[in-house]
Amino acid sequence: MITLYSAGLTSVWHILGVGAIGMRWARKLKLAGEPVTLILRDEAKLREFVSAGSGIRYLSHVGEEFIPFPATSLNDAALRIENLLLCTKSYSLAAAYEAVVRRVVAGGNLVLLCNGYGVHQKLASDARAFRVWAASTTSGANSAAPFHLTLAGDGRTELGPLNDLATESDYPLLNLPRHTKSADIEATLWRKVAVNACINPITALYELKNGEVLNHPSAYARMESVAAEIEELAIALDKPLFEKSLLKVAEDVCRTTAENLSSMLQDRQNRRASEIEQITGALLELASETSLTLPHNQQLLHEIRAIEAETLSPSNLGGK
């Protein structure tokens, strides 16, 4: 078995889920001087990584850089994890945890970096032997090929505890630039999914960069309707959003990330399952607890589902 894992380092940050977010945080950690080891799903993916030079190629406005990383696979019997970043798609989070949990030492740090709402809390309730944290980020990155990443804007990341064991320990990752403690990570995740639901499905449906939504009359009108419904839901659930309107916040995000491709648009372009069920679907599940129906959000869910049914094979319908 090919393995590049170095078991002697006890402070290593392992990353499971080497997509856009995982590759971005591998670079952040490496530049901060933290040891990093990538966990790939199987030997075939590990061989592909070795063939690519055992590293990740990053492209930004300042040029291109290649950063090597040690790597291993989930099949490595010697794998021992103290600090783990789970950067999978939200619909794969539970399965990823089950695949790796026996490798994590009791009391280890699990940091969840994924979209959606409800999946973080569910995993935290199952992972009581570990310190479970959620991170919410506005950083962007676009990945069109394995182990290649185009860096977009470097936003802010908020981190907070999801279980009692985490609250008794020191916060991890605060040595990384623009990483801060969240005063209320539940509220942070709620606000993040509200903004994502306003932007991601619409960019995927119309195939627009974030900034282009603001100048596309049909897309903008739909974002306006979706935001209004989510604000009604927030009131019904007594889960406050922002001091200004959700629409204005979504507009601001579109402007500051104008050149970004949302993760849902990248999923469509790469014929991957999106996180529509864990974003819009999660809001509709919450609405079922009230008298609200959110018809505009429901229509978006239906349309994205229809696109995925046409473009993805049954084995790739990860969120269904």
Side-chain angles (χ1 to χ4, degrees), residues 302-320:
H302 172 77
E303 291 177 78
I304 297 297
R305 280 176 173 172
I307 290 170
E308 294 187 0
E310 291 178 1
T311 58
L312 303 180
S313 66
S315 62
N316 282 334
L317 290 173
K320 314 302 180 283

Side-chain angles (χ1 to χ4, degrees), residues 4-16 22 25-39 67-71 79-85 172-173 175-176:
L4 304 177
Y5 172 64
S6 178
L9 295 173
T10 58
S11 61
V12 171
W13 275 97
H14 287 84
I15 298 177
L16 180 57
W25 256 257
R27 180 178 181 272
K28 281 175 175 277
L29 287 161
K30 188 74 172 278
L31 294 180
E34 297 282 350
V36 179
T37 293
L38 309 179
I39 304 176
I67 301 180
F69 292 98
L79 184 59
R80 181 176 178 273
I81 300 169
E82 293 187 356
N83 301 298
L84 177 65
L85 275 175
L173 301 177
N175 60 318
L176 301 185

